Amino acid sequence: MNQINVSGLKKNYQTGKVVYEVLKGIDFSVEDGEFVSICGPSGSGKTTLLYVLGGLEPYTAGSISLFGKELNTYTDAEKAKTRSQDIGFVFQFYNLIPNLTVYENILLSSVLGNNKSKDEILPVLDSVGMKDYHAYYPSQLSGGMQQRVAIARCLINDPKIIFADEPIGSLDYKNGIAIMELFKTLNQTYHKTILMVTHNEDTTVYGTRTLHMLDGKVMKDEKNNQ
Ligand SMILES: Nc1ncnc2c1ncn2[C@@H]1O[C@H](COP(=O)(O)OP(=O)(O)O)[C@@H](O)[C@H]1O
Ligand SMILES: [Mg+2]
């Protein structure tokens, strides 16, 4: 089944009278279980595309069907529910809440996702190798560890799709590889659909497919050899 269908997608930003075209007509679909890398140079519109698909930014023209329903027909309540329960976001700078412990960061996400049980918190932390750190604060952890916690935070509500924006952009090589392996496991073992933005061609090998973006357009859409 297609989880995402994008056609003729355009997105403009406007500052004063100046209209800036960031997405200039994009078409693609994402099927259940794909791991799509969105690759391209800085400024090509990758983050904008991810935010628009996740409902964090409105779009200017074209259509986005998310889980079979046109995104701009979602009510605010439907959008909030989808964002908290069906999709998960992972960012470059982790965005953990500094004055909450690892456990509390996950608990907060779980409560926002209307997840009544706390039983899954420690197992989810275990699945990303962070169970022993549940009582730590983010500042006590390395970047790689914080990103693992951010991934656990998104997994706690069992999302159908994970959107990740340069998730290893702040990590050293070794930690970056470990996080990419974790995403690969989430895709292959837990069948999560993943859309990951990267400006580094080397990391696209972890995915099943690569969209190459340049100047607001998808220039190439290729399946990867697994
Ligand atoms: N809120 C905004 N207002 C105006 N222009 C923006 C905004 N966000 C992004 N842009 C512009 O859109 C272009 C694409 O940005 P972005 O999607 O962040 O690219 P990428 O993630 O590929 O580096 C850039 O030229 C950027 O300056
Ligand atoms: Mg970006």
Side-chain angles (χ1 to χ4, degrees):
M1 192 190 110
N2 284 346
Q3 291 180 323
I4 302 175
N5 259 311
V6 179
S7 74
L9 178 66
K10 295 185 179 176
K11 164 77 179 171
N12 299 341
Y13 283 112
Q14 186 156 7
T15 27
K17 285 213 167 82
V18 183
V19 175
Y20 192 81
E21 295 178 6
V22 178
L23 302 179
K24 301 180 178 174
I26 287 182
D27 305 271
F28 67 95
S29 299
V30 178
E31 280 179 37
D32 206 354
E34 286 194 282
F35 181 167
V36 181
S37 305
I38 301 170
C39 188
S42 180
S44 55
K46 306 178 299 295
T47 294
T48 303
L49 177 62
L50 207 66
Y51 281 26
V52 167
L53 295 179
L56 299 176
E57 278 283 348
Y59 44 108
T60 308
S63 139
I64 299 173
S65 159
L66 184 65
F67 307 122
K69 185 174 157 67
E70 181 67 27
L71 194 55
N72 60 15
T73 68
Y74 277 58
T75 62
D76 285 350
E78 284 172 331
K79 251 192 200 171
K81 184 166 178 284
T82 298
R83 269 207 296 267
S84 61
Q85 297 179 9
D86 300 328
I87 63 184
F89 275 94
V90 177
F91 302 96
Q92 180 176 352
F93 295 107
Y94 332 123
N95 294 3
L96 299 173
I97 298 180
N99 55 344
L100 297 182
T101 63
V102 164
Y103 184 93
E104 289 163 346
N105 265 279
I106 312 293
L107 176 62
L108 177 64
S109 170
S110 164
V111 169
L112 291 174
N114 207 18
N115 201 336
K116 303 275 188 304
S117 162
K118 294 182 187 170
D119 298 349
E120 284 302 309
I121 296 178
L122 289 177
V124 163
L125 279 171
D126 202 19
S127 73
V128 300
M130 288 301 294
K131 189 172 156 206
D132 292 346
Y133 298 89
H134 65 90
Y136 283 56
Y137 288 90
S139 62
Q140 296 174 302
L141 304 174
S142 71
M145 288 169 152
Q146 290 187 60
Q147 195 59 298
R148 286 173 184 277
V149 175
I151 292 169
R153 174 183 58 187
C154 118
L155 290 176
I156 191 68
N157 295 321
D158 198 22
K160 299 185 181 85
I161 305 179
I162 298 173
F163 291 101
D165 190 4
E166 308 265 8
I168 66 164
S170 315
L171 301 178
D172 61 37
Y173 178 76
K174 200 161 148 259
N175 278 301
I177 295 286
I179 292 291
M180 290 310 300
E181 292 289 351
L182 177 56
F183 276 112
K184 192 170 175 179
T185 304
L186 294 178
N187 176 247
Q188 292 189 340
T189 310
Y190 298 97
H191 310 294
K192 298 293 179 199
T193 304
I194 300 175
L195 265 75
M196 173 179 295
V197 162
T198 175
H199 64 261
N200 182 353
E201 285 270 353
D202 295 349
T203 57
T204 62
V205 297
Y206 292 90
T208 59
R209 181 176 158 203
T210 307
L211 298 181
H212 296 269
M213 281 189 78
L214 189 68
D215 192 25
K217 294 193 195 120
V218 173
M219 308 305 281
K220 197 160 72 170
D221 179 351
E222 58 181 355
K223 288 240 190 300
N224 297 349
N225 296 323
Q226 290 288 300

